[in-house]
Amino acid sequence: MEQNNSLTPFPPGLASPQGAMTPVLPIFSPMMPYGTGLTPQPVQNTNSLSLLEEQQRQQQQQQQQQAAASQQQSGMVGGSGQTPQLYHSQVSTTTALPGNTPLYTTPLTPMTPITPATPASESSGIVPQLQNIVSTVNLGCKLDLKTIALRARNAEYNPKRFAAVIMRIREPRTTALIFSSGKMVCTGAKSEEQSRLAARKYARVVQKLGFPAKFLDFKIQNMVGSCDVKFPIRLEGLVLTHQQFSSYEPELFPGLIYRMIKPRIVLLIFVSGKVVLTGAKVRGEIYEAFENIYPILKGFRKTT
Amino acid sequence: MPSSCPECGSSNVVEDDLYSQRQWVCVDCGSVVSEGHLTTTVSDETQGRAVPYHASTEVLKKPCRNLIAGFSRVRALCRILRLSSDMESAVVSLFERAYNHPNFIFVTLTKKEILGGCCVLSVCRQCNWPVAMGTIGYLLGVDNATLGTVYREFTKALNIEISTIGIMDMLESFCYDFKLGPQQVEEVFAEPPQRLVDRTSALIELAADAWIVTGRQPLPLLFAAVYLAWQSLNPTVRMKYTFVKFCKIGKAPEQSWHRSRDSVVKRLKELRDVLCKLGRELPWLRGGTVEPNTVVPLVDDILKNHRALLLRAVRNYEQQLQNESQTAQTTECDNELSDSNRSESHSSTTPELMDPDQAGCENPADKQATDCQLPPDHWSKRHLFLPPCVKNRKRQRVDAPQLEVTGDEEISDSEIESYIRSQDEIEMYLKVQKELKKMA
């Protein structure tokens, strides 16, 4: 696997279209439809449309060239069968950057989402906000935690309590646990991009402290989101009708714990109408889970 | 192996063991030519393997001491809670299963005791026998949180399906726990349990409609409801008795209510507020004031007509909101005199479409909660009855402005340098550490 510092890997053979890289980013920007609280529409950004058309054209050109030349085709075409993660239920994620995606030969209409778009009148109009992202990365070398704790300003290390250095940076406001094996956990970011940037900053700090740190296998492990449906919810009713998914013990915890099967998300539902969603690996799972639970909750909205 | 007999000289020597002793015997004359050892030697014994405890018969004949103690404790719990013999045997077998489960065989004795309580709780839930976790908690002397963690582990380890019980199921046995029979207390305090149950269940239904029940601990609420019910059944005499006094009269075990006294007081306040809101709608009071400390005599009337009163209260509240929104908008119209405003005031008569630009639209009933810092256009102002956690929110959560980053930006060296100590700092730090070590 290529080591990745700041450049996303491109499939071999594809000319690196620098111009095409930047237009992708607006899709993944947090200020896109999901941040404005408007009804989430399928991504209709003309930038991305042109990017995909361009990529399609380039790939067709490439394939024509390669079909004539060598037999390395098999490696590339093999990837065409993959469903592009880009369009999973109308949401895009940074982890599926175009570097790894579409090698389709079929003329797929780029904007068709995999799950059918819900018409605007049925969708909730509420968008869960991401509150916390937990990610891990491998710095690829053994670390001396005592040295790190001594030479870094923002580090704390108490081996009797916990076997890792706890480091914090101001921007993005995050905390990292750095272990002597070279593995690192980064928590507290509010978006995937922020988490990645923060992890890179920690890796840079460790580098500057004299260790040959790399940036291998960055992976988002957990995402937490929350939102408010703006009406009170009858939890006792919900636990009766959805018994196999819900657990409501008012003596232990005031909220109802709903374990959704698809997507595999755990929701904490409170009587005030606030909902916390956790356990997601990609942003789309949180949105999908909320769209699934919203009609159920509306059924338990009871105004006196 | 000897080949010839020394006595008769024949070569017909066979191996013929006598019990466990090896012997070589001559067939012709019958003399023993040679023999082996009868007993084991020290070397044999040390090489042999000892039988472990769990494979010996000791295990079957005498089970673990702690398990026996656990059994007696669990049976005692069942007897205190007056479970049937079927349920008791179910509890005992479940406890044995749980005790010997690999997750629980090595835990502390306290945890094993809590495990017994969890078994009781689980069987009661399965048989629809309403027992609150708080009851088991106070019988074992642990708090709900500890009991809860062990209960969750236990249900996961043994794959038991959890069923929830509602507050109404716990009500009857709870009321019967109070000793208020005519033989036990004075005439003025006595109350047949069934009457108490009926009145309390009506109060709890009302509380559930008014969002006081959901998400809350059931026991403090039950205490508050029983107390109010008892008072309302003979208000003239009983009004002056406080909650603590009532518990002493009814001989409720102090452990069960002592810890949750503060919650009970809060629930009492909430219940009385709800009763006041409804009491105001009673037509024969002709709009007279209804105060929380004098509402108890009206409880009887309120409960009899609670549905009608609820509808009236909600309708009046919505009317009030409409009037306020209209007056606010007509004053705006007077000030601005624009057509767009006028059309807005006509269209937005229903509270759901309240104009978010209106400031200061406060519900007169909520003026008491002046420390509530909700913005005036918050959705909660539209409802008369709401869960208290929404109405009493002291501080709005403000989402920090989102950073717009791509994740792949350049990281400035100066920023990273700011996180690294300079050489002087390191030397100073080491010096201080040495000094501290010297002092210690």
Side-chain angles (χ1 to χ4, degrees):
Chain A
M1 268 314 285
E2 299 163 46
Q3 292 167 16
N4 184 5
N5 264 329
S6 50
L7 231 54
T8 46
F10 270 90
L14 195 65
S16 56
Q18 281 301 326
M21 260 313 281
T22 34
V24 172
L25 301 171
I27 309 179
F28 307 116
S29 154
M31 293 314 283
M32 277 310 283
Y34 298 104
T36 55
L38 298 171
T39 319
Q41 307 286 342
V43 181
Q44 297 280 358
N45 197 350
T46 45
N47 280 346
S48 53
L49 180 56
S50 60
L51 162 70
L52 283 147
E53 285 181 358
E54 197 180 332
Q55 278 193 334
Q56 256 191 312
R57 250 181 289 124
Q58 282 178 348
Q59 279 148 30
Q60 281 171 3
Q61 277 174 12
Q62 286 288 321
Q63 275 160 13
Q64 280 164 12
Q65 285 172 12
Q66 285 187 355
S70 64
Q71 287 150 5
Q72 273 190 343
Q73 184 81 266
S74 51
M76 302 276 267
V77 176
S80 69
Q82 289 170 20
T83 34
Q85 252 188 324
L86 206 63
Y87 302 111
H88 174 64
S89 57
Q90 349 173 355
V91 183
S92 48
T93 64
T94 40
T95 50
L97 282 175
N100 295 330
T101 41
L103 297 174
Y104 20 63
T105 47
T106 53
L108 192 69
T109 330
M111 288 311 145
T112 311
I114 298 298
T115 54
T118 50
S121 57
E122 276 181 30
S123 80
S124 59
I126 306 172
V127 179
Q129 295 296 316
L130 289 182
Q131 302 295 342
N132 183 26
I133 313 263
V134 178
S135 57
T136 53
V137 73
N138 186 4
L139 300 177
C141 64
K142 293 271 178 283
L143 302 173
D144 180 11
L145 299 184
K146 271 215 170 87
T147 316
I148 295 179
L150 174 65
R151 299 184 49 208
R153 282 191 184 134
N154 53 341
E156 57 181 89
Y157 179 48
N158 195 346
K160 291 194 190 133
R161 220 176 69 193
F162 190 55
V165 164
I166 302 169
M167 199 182 278
R168 296 186 167 87
I169 57 172
R170 290 178 287 268
E171 182 90 8
R173 217 161 75 88
T174 48
T175 306
L177 303 172
I178 307 177
F179 294 85
S180 54
S181 60
K183 300 245 169 83
M184 182 170 82
V185 179
C186 174
T187 63
K190 298 267 192 234
S191 76
E192 304 92 320
E193 302 87 18
Q194 285 183 33
S195 191
R196 190 187 169 85
L197 179 63
R200 283 176 54 223
K201 287 193 182 175
Y202 288 112
R204 188 67 70 82
V205 170
V206 172
Q207 256 178 6
K208 281 240 171 356
L209 291 175
F211 297 93
K214 305 188 256 308
F215 197 77
L216 309 171
D217 307 325
F218 175 79
K219 183 171 178 217
I220 302 225
Q221 301 290 354
N222 186 29
M223 299 172 76
V224 180
S226 73
C227 58
D228 189 354
V229 299
K230 301 199 189 324
F231 54 81
I233 303 170
R234 291 261 169 231
L235 300 178
E236 306 95 346
L238 183 56
V239 75
L240 282 177
T241 48
H242 289 75
Q243 217 166 21
Q244 60 273 54
F245 307 116
S246 337
S247 155
Y248 171 54
E249 294 284 347
E251 293 185 86
L252 296 180
F253 188 64
L256 186 149
I257 304 172
Y258 192 101
R259 291 178 198 272
M260 200 177 276
I261 309 278
K262 187 171 155 37
R264 224 171 133 250
I265 300 281
V266 174
L267 299 93
L268 302 176
I269 304 171
F270 295 90
V271 66
S272 56
K274 299 243 165 56
V275 180
V276 174
L277 307 97
T278 182
K281 288 273 194 287
V282 293
R283 193 187 273 248
E285 286 176 358
I286 294 206
Y287 297 145
E288 193 186 331
F290 182 68
E291 292 301 320
N292 287 347
I293 200 82
Y294 188 71
I296 299 172
L297 295 180
K298 267 210 296 201
F300 289 96
R301 162 192 214 158
K302 205 163 116 187
T303 48
T304 38
Chain B
M1 185 179 145
S3 51
S4 62
C5 169
E7 297 272 331
C8 63
S10 88
S11 56
N12 205 355
V13 177
V14 293
E15 190 178 329
D16 185 13
D17 295 345
L18 174 68
Y19 300 112
S20 60
Q21 189 180 21
R22 287 176 83 181
Q23 287 182 340
W24 283 272
V25 180
C26 172
V27 176
D28 297 334
C29 65
S31 62
V32 176
V33 176
S34 69
E35 58 189 6
H37 291 292
L38 182 59
T39 56
T40 51
T41 57
V42 171
S43 56
D44 285 338
E45 279 172 21
T46 48
Q47 276 170 24
R49 246 181 297 161
V51 178
Y53 174 75
H54 62 80
S56 67
T57 53
E58 186 78 1
V59 175
L60 293 170
K61 288 184 184 162
K62 223 169 46 168
C64 165
R65 226 178 329 164
N66 292 324
L67 181 59
I68 300 174
F71 280 149
S72 61
R73 188 93 175 87
V74 154
R75 280 188 208 275
L77 276 173
C78 294
R79 251 164 249 150
I80 296 172
L81 295 169
R82 278 175 257 162
L83 305 183
S84 70
S85 51
D86 291 337
M87 286 173 68
E88 192 174 316
S89 44
V91 171
V92 168
S93 60
L94 184 60
F95 179 67
E96 191 173 354
R97 248 181 76 202
Y99 189 93
N100 291 322
H101 192 276
N103 285 11
F104 296 114
I105 188 78
F106 297 121
V107 298
T108 58
L109 288 176
T110 348
K111 203 164 176 188
K112 284 180 177 163
E113 205 175 297
I114 301 177
L115 195 63
C118 294
C119 295
V120 174
L121 185 62
S122 172
V123 170
C124 287
R125 288 259 176 109
Q126 282 170 12
C127 304
N128 275 329
W129 187 268
V131 172
M133 273 192 196
T135 313
I136 300 212
Y138 105 80
L139 284 175
L140 291 174
V142 294
D143 61 330
N144 270 357
T146 336
L147 181 59
T149 28
V150 182
Y151 184 63
R152 282 215 178 101
E153 270 184 59
F154 160 78
T155 44
K156 213 192 262 187
L158 273 76
N159 251 337
I160 297 177
E161 255 192 48
I162 319 175
S163 52
T164 7
I165 49 166
I167 191 170
M168 299 303 274
D169 302 323
M170 291 194 269
L171 182 61
E172 198 167 326
S173 58
F174 186 82
C175 289
Y176 274 82
D177 270 345
F178 284 88
K179 295 179 181 51
L180 294 166
Q183 299 87 19
Q184 293 155 322
V185 289
E186 293 174 25
E187 184 61 41
V188 283
F189 301 144
E191 204 60 63
Q194 196 51 49
R195 253 188 106 201
L196 199 61
V197 168
D198 293 337
R199 182 53 66 94
T200 316
S201 65
L203 272 173
I204 297 227
E205 261 185 52
L206 188 64
D209 279 338
W211 295 102
I212 297 178
V213 174
T214 315
R216 259 82 179 282
Q217 297 259 358
L219 283 179
L221 191 61
L222 282 172
F223 272 115
V226 167
Y227 171 57
L228 274 182
W230 177 78
Q231 274 192 325
S232 68
L233 286 168
N234 193 348
T236 41
V237 183
R238 298 176 186 169
M239 272 300 284
K240 57 180 191 263
Y241 292 98
T242 60
F243 170 69
V244 177
K245 205 75 177 57
F246 163 69
C247 288
K248 295 212 168 92
I249 294 171
K251 296 198 191 54
E254 184 154 339
Q255 279 171 307
S256 61
W257 55 264
H258 190 77
R259 233 181 320 180
S260 46
R261 218 174 28 206
D262 297 329
S263 310
V264 176
V265 166
K266 283 190 204 144
R267 298 296 164 266
L268 277 172
K269 181 173 178 301
E270 285 165 8
L271 269 172
R272 286 191 187 120
D273 281 339
V274 170
L275 289 168
C276 283
K277 279 186 184 153
L278 293 183
R280 274 182 213 127
E281 305 299 325
L282 283 171
W284 50 86
L285 288 179
R286 296 171 201 278
T289 49
V290 180
E291 291 303 311
N293 34 7
T294 55
V295 74
V296 176
L298 300 170
V299 167
D300 200 24
D301 291 331
I302 293 174
L303 289 177
K304 277 204 190 96
N305 311 298
H306 72 274
R307 270 184 238 284
L309 290 173
L310 264 173
L311 283 173
R312 275 186 73 149
V314 173
R315 220 178 291 138
N316 286 347
Y317 183 72
E318 284 176 0
Q319 192 66 42
Q320 209 170 34
L321 284 178
Q322 266 185 45
N323 292 345
E324 281 177 11
S325 70
Q326 275 176 2
T327 46
Q329 282 190 327
T330 46
T331 51
E332 272 181 35
C333 280
D334 288 341
N335 292 341
E336 296 194 12
L337 283 175
S338 63
D339 287 331
S340 55
N341 268 357
R342 223 169 273 141
S343 60
E344 265 182 30
S345 71
H346 288 302
S347 61
S348 62
T349 43
T350 47
E352 272 73 41
L353 304 166
M354 212 172 6
D355 193 347
D357 291 331
Q358 289 168 23
C361 172
E362 271 203 359
N363 170 25
D366 284 341
K367 278 212 171 77
Q368 303 143 11
T370 42
D371 49 351
C372 169
Q373 290 169 20
L374 290 175
D377 60 333
H378 196 256
W379 62 271
S380 64
K381 304 275 179 185
R382 278 174 236 154
H383 299 279
L384 177 59
F385 293 108
L386 270 187
C389 57
V390 181
K391 275 218 157 104
N392 299 340
R393 199 147 46 120
K394 304 278 186 295
R395 190 165 51 107
Q396 268 272 56
R397 202 256 305 274
V398 177
D399 282 323
Q402 283 281 10
L403 271 183
E404 274 188 58
V405 289
T406 63
D408 294 318
E409 290 137 328
E410 285 304 312
I411 302 171
S412 67
D413 274 347
S414 54
E415 188 187 344
I416 303 294
E417 291 292 331
S418 71
Y419 291 124
I420 298 180
R421 284 193 176 131
S422 64
Q423 199 54 37
D424 297 336
E425 275 182 47
I426 297 178
E427 282 170 14
M428 204 167 359
Y429 178 77
L430 286 172
K431 206 168 73 176
V432 171
Q433 244 189 354
K434 223 186 283 183
E435 296 289 321
L436 284 173
K437 243 188 237 167
K438 261 193 241 168
M439 278 166 40

